[in-house]
């Protein structure tokens, strides 16, 4: 007997088939994915923008989105040289235009000669354009004081996120108590929890120490891994340095301790270093995990498995939309490396314009070249402005009773702790909301300020936070901070 597919008929007798894909029949791991940076509060912010454009009256004139590290959307200007070269690569007829400097033209010609058919519209090798990978390797060697870098260990990626998710795919295996566990910092960037949920891996939380400027404590790593071994197989340790959302910069000693811990516990290290140029605090310095690993000697340099990630989206570039990035792998098993190359070949190649931009980031204008002066001026101005805004954000927020903000040592965000009155916590609970989501949504509706609640990044029970970027122009940032200050005072008074 042949069974017919389920069907039904409407009031007019017209037969309709039940949908193949429903919320009950879809991939269950996708339903577990959450990404707070673009969650419901951001969707409401978009609705408010539309309502304002349609003339609806609100208690504010504009929505200020401080929810995501999207520098150009916040008004940061692109680096002229980068855009000149990309324009030349996109439309080579401009190479005869005398308004473009010669160093921009020579860079564009070199990139185009590395592209199939001399066009950025052609696919590249799955691992990325060979000449770009060579330039990335030379950049890493300069950054790390001469530590050797093999271009064959460089993989160009669609932003850093693509590389991170690819590595997690390789790591996840097993079932039940043998299922792969991945250690991530709390608070964390939600990419990690979202990717682990989609892959069906086990998330192992280790808590950063807010009382010590969000520092990483080895005893906390040990606690987390010991507990996790009861229910999963911890295989990887993720580090974000400088931190997102917490803005801390790790000391060299801390990085050494983490490497020793990873070696002792047989963990694959993943170092998210996309904010490596964003270091502001006096006495802080960026140290790459690769450099420290190799300076610790062969006992570690030849054994600890490491993948590190960088991107065109952050630092002084802020070129999020081009989706450029790279990862470098160290001490990976050769057979696994073949599998990695196979996995990457399925998606053909990362965006070639993003690869071209990555090449410019690692190989910018040099002294004596026509564009060097303007490049250094623009780069310095962008990073200096970010450093000033980091300090301003910390200072203003710490003047508000009930808000406590650690120094923004690096990256692009502050993650202040907020006191929420018990009455507000109760109302939020009754509405089925996290208290800091309730707080941030109320702030959005009353002020037009869009922040992300700390619950979207993870936080210790009983504590509440929000993440805000330091990216808006200084004048707008001052308005934003003043509105946050006034709102918090009103909110506290309303619910006290």
């Amino acid at each position: 007997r042949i069974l017919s597919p389920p069907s039904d008929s409407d009031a007019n007798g017209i037969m309709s088939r039940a949908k193949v894909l429903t919320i009950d029949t879809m991939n269950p791991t996708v339903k577990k994915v959450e990404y707070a940076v673009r969650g419901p509060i951001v969707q409401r912010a978009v609705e408010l923008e539309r309502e304002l454009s349609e003339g609806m009256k609100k208690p504010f004139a504009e929505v200020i989105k401080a929810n995501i590290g999207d520098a150009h959307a916040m008004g940061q200007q692109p680096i002229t040289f980068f855009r000149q070269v990309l324009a030349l690569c996109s439309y080579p007829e401009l190479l005869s235009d005398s308004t473009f400097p010669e160093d921009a033209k020579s860079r564009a010609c070199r990139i185009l000669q590395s592209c199939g058919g001399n066009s950025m519209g052609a696919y590249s090798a799955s691992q990325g354009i060979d000449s770009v990978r060579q330039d990335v390797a030379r950049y890493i060697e300069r950054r790390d004081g001469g530590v050797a870098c093999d271009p064959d260990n460089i993989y160009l990626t669609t932003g850093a996120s693509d590389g991170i998710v690819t590595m997690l795919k390789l790591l996840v295996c097993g079932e039940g108590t043998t299922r792969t566990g991945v250690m991530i910092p709390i608070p964390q960037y939600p990419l990690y929890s979202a990717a682990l949920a989609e892959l069906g891996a086990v998330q192992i939380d280790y808590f950063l120490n807010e009382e010590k400027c969000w520092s990483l404590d080895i005893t906390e790593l040990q606690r987390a891994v010991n507990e996790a071994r009861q229910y999963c197989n911890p295989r990887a340790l993720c580090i974000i340095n400088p931190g997102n959302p917490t803005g801390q910069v790790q000391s060299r000693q801390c990085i050494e301790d983490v490497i020793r811990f990873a070696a002792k516990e047989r963990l694959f290290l993943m170092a998210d270093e996309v904010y490596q140029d964003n270091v502001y605090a006096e006495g802080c310095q960026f140290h790459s995990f690769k450099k420290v690993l190799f300076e610790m000697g062969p006992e570690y340099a030849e054994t600890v498995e490491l993948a590190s990630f960088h991107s065109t989206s952050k630092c002084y570039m802020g070129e999020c939309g081009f989706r450029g990035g790279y990862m470098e792998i160290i001490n990976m098993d050769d057979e696994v490396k073949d599998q990695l190359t196979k996995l990457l070949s399925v998606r053909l190649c990362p965006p070639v314009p993003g690869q071209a931009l990555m090449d410019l980031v690692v190989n910018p204008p040099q002294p004596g070249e026509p564009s060097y002066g303007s490049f250094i001026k623009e780069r310095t101005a962008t990073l200096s402005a970010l450093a000033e805004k980091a300090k301003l954000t910390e200072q203003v927020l710490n003047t508000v009773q009930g808000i406590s903000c650690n120094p923004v040592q690096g990256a692009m965000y502050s993650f202040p702790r907020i006191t929420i009155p018990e009455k507000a916590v109760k109302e939020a609970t009754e509405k089925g909301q996290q208290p800091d989501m309730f707080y941030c949504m109320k702030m959005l509706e009353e002020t037009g300020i869009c922040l992300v609640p700390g619950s979207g990044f993870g936080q210790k029970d009983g504590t509440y936070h929000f993440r805000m970027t330091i990216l808006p122009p200084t004048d707008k940032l001052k308005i934003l901070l003043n509105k946050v200050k006034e709102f918090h005072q009103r909110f506290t008074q309303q619910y006290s």
Side-chain angles (χ1 to χ4, degrees):
R1 178 170 169 240
I2 299 174
L3 295 175
S4 301
S7 60
D8 204 350
S9 57
D10 62 16
N12 298 315
I14 298 172
M15 299 298 290
S16 64
R17 294 165 65 95
K19 291 190 183 295
V20 173
L21 183 62
T22 69
I23 196 70
D24 293 324
T25 62
M26 69 175 286
N27 184 338
T29 62
V30 174
K31 290 189 281 188
K32 295 177 183 176
V33 171
E34 292 185 6
Y35 190 65
V37 175
R38 289 177 181 250
I41 200 159
V42 183
Q43 293 161 17
R44 178 55 184 151
V46 172
E47 289 175 4
L48 287 170
E49 282 183 318
R50 187 179 67 249
E51 290 169 8
L52 282 170
S53 69
E54 292 169 353
M56 287 182 66
K57 296 295 181 189
K58 301 288 177 187
F60 46 86
E62 65 173 333
V63 173
I64 302 178
K65 291 180 185 170
N67 62 292
I68 193 167
D70 191 352
H72 292 186
M74 290 281 96
Q76 183 176 306
Q77 293 303 300
I79 299 294
T80 302
F81 178 79
F82 293 172
R83 289 301 183 90
Q84 287 173 330
V85 176
L86 291 170
L88 292 163
C89 288
S90 298
Y91 190 58
E93 283 80 356
L94 292 173
L95 287 164
S96 59
D97 190 326
S98 61
T99 60
F100 287 83
E102 289 304 312
D103 53 348
K105 290 180 180 180
S106 65
R107 286 290 203 295
C109 288
R110 181 171 178 270
I111 291 168
L112 288 172
Q113 286 164 8
S114 301
C115 296
N118 294 325
S119 169
M120 276 208 306
Y123 288 130
S124 76
S126 298
Q127 196 169 341
I129 297 169
D130 186 59
S131 64
V132 178
R133 290 191 295 112
Q134 291 175 19
D135 285 348
V136 169
R138 285 194 288 267
Y139 160 79
I140 291 172
E141 288 177 349
R142 290 193 306 273
R143 182 198 68 187
D144 292 345
V147 175
C149 180
D150 184 349
D152 283 343
N153 290 337
I154 302 298
Y155 293 78
L156 301 182
T157 56
T158 307
S161 302
D162 173 46
I164 291 165
V165 172
T166 298
M167 285 308 309
L168 290 173
K169 285 180 181 177
L170 293 179
L171 282 157
V172 175
C173 66
E175 297 297 334
T177 56
T178 66
R179 189 65 171 168
T180 293
V182 178
M183 302 180 70
I184 65 170
I186 297 296
Q188 52 108 18
Y189 177 52
L191 163 70
Y192 291 92
S193 54
L196 294 175
E198 185 179 356
L199 294 168
V202 179
Q203 176 179 318
I204 304 169
D205 297 343
Y206 66 89
F207 289 91
L208 301 177
N209 189 335
E210 183 171 11
E211 282 66 40
K212 294 184 178 177
C213 207
W214 298 113
S215 63
L216 193 161
D217 189 333
I218 297 300
T219 57
E220 169 61 12
L221 289 181
Q222 194 66 62
R223 177 207 62 78
V225 80
N226 288 348
E227 289 183 8
R229 289 199 195 282
Q230 307 301 312
Y231 55 84
C232 70
N233 178 22
R235 302 189 70 207
L237 169 59
C238 299
I239 307 287
I240 309 174
N241 180 48
N244 174 12
T246 44
Q248 84 284 7
V249 178
Q250 290 180 357
S251 68
R252 183 196 166 88
Q253 183 60 54
C254 177
I255 292 171
E256 285 189 21
D257 292 344
V258 168
I259 290 170
R260 288 192 188 92
F261 174 81
K264 177 172 73 78
E265 298 293 338
R266 290 182 49 76
L267 297 170
F268 190 108
L269 263 177
M270 295 176 62
D272 181 340
E273 300 176 332
V274 301
Y275 297 99
Q276 58 190 256
D277 290 326
N278 298 109
V279 177
Y280 317 122
E282 197 173 327
C284 289
Q285 182 183 346
F286 171 75
H287 302 277
S288 79
F289 267 78
K290 158 87 176 292
K291 180 176 189 285
V292 176
L293 175 65
F294 275 75
E295 289 177 350
M296 289 173 69
E299 178 188 355
Y300 298 100
E302 295 176 6
T303 59
V304 174
E305 296 154 86
L306 169 70
S308 56
F309 309 90
H310 195 19
S311 167
T312 62
S313 300
K314 309 303 177 185
C315 298
Y316 63 92
M317 302 85 71
E319 295 279 14
C320 304
F322 279 96
R323 309 308 300 132
Y326 73 74
M327 66 177 174
E328 181 186 16
I329 56 170
I330 304 295
N331 294 323
M332 179 176 276
D333 180 272
D334 287 339
E335 289 183 324
V336 175
K337 204 171 172 184
D338 291 340
Q339 295 296 315
L340 170 60
T341 303
K342 178 187 74 175
L343 184 60
L344 293 176
S345 69
V346 174
R347 54 98 158 111
L348 297 174
C349 69
V352 174
Q355 295 186 52
L357 178 59
M358 192 79 249
D359 189 60
L360 301 173
V361 171
V362 299
N363 185 24
Q366 300 301 307
E369 293 183 334
S371 301
Y372 179 74
S374 60
F375 167 75
I376 291 297
K377 183 179 178 183
E378 291 174 3
R379 181 184 187 275
T380 303
T382 298
L383 291 174
S384 296
L386 286 169
E388 288 173 13
K389 290 187 283 189
K391 193 68 179 169
L392 174 69
T393 300
E394 176 201 346
Q395 288 174 340
V396 174
L397 290 177
N398 279 329
T399 65
V400 187
Q401 188 174 359
I403 297 183
S404 172
C405 184
N406 270 320
V408 183
Q409 296 176 336
M412 296 177 170
Y413 317 96
S414 64
F415 196 70
R417 185 167 175 170
I418 53 175
T419 301
I420 298 181
E422 191 55 43
K423 189 176 172 185
V425 172
K426 187 170 181 288
E427 186 173 328
T429 305
E430 288 168 356
K431 291 185 174 182
Q433 290 183 341
Q434 291 286 343
D436 49 10
M437 169 62 87
F438 175 75
Y439 175 95
C440 288
M441 191 65 83
K442 206 165 178 61
M443 185 190 298
L444 175 64
E445 297 287 353
E446 293 183 17
T447 69
I449 303 295
C450 180
L451 308 177
V452 191
S455 50
F457 301 89
Q459 55 197 353
K460 281 193 173 180
D461 288 344
T463 69
Y464 307 110
H465 302 78
F466 60 74
R467 188 190 81 163
M468 63 167 279
T469 72
I470 60 169
L471 290 171
T474 303
D475 56 344
K476 190 167 281 190
L477 181 63
K478 288 178 178 176
I479 294 169
L480 185 158
L481 289 167
N482 195 49
K483 283 190 170 188
V484 170
K485 182 177 180 176
E486 291 174 351
F487 168 79
H488 187 82
Q489 290 167 340
R490 282 199 313 274
F491 182 87
T492 302
Q493 197 170 26
Q494 180 183 350
Y495 286 99
S496 58

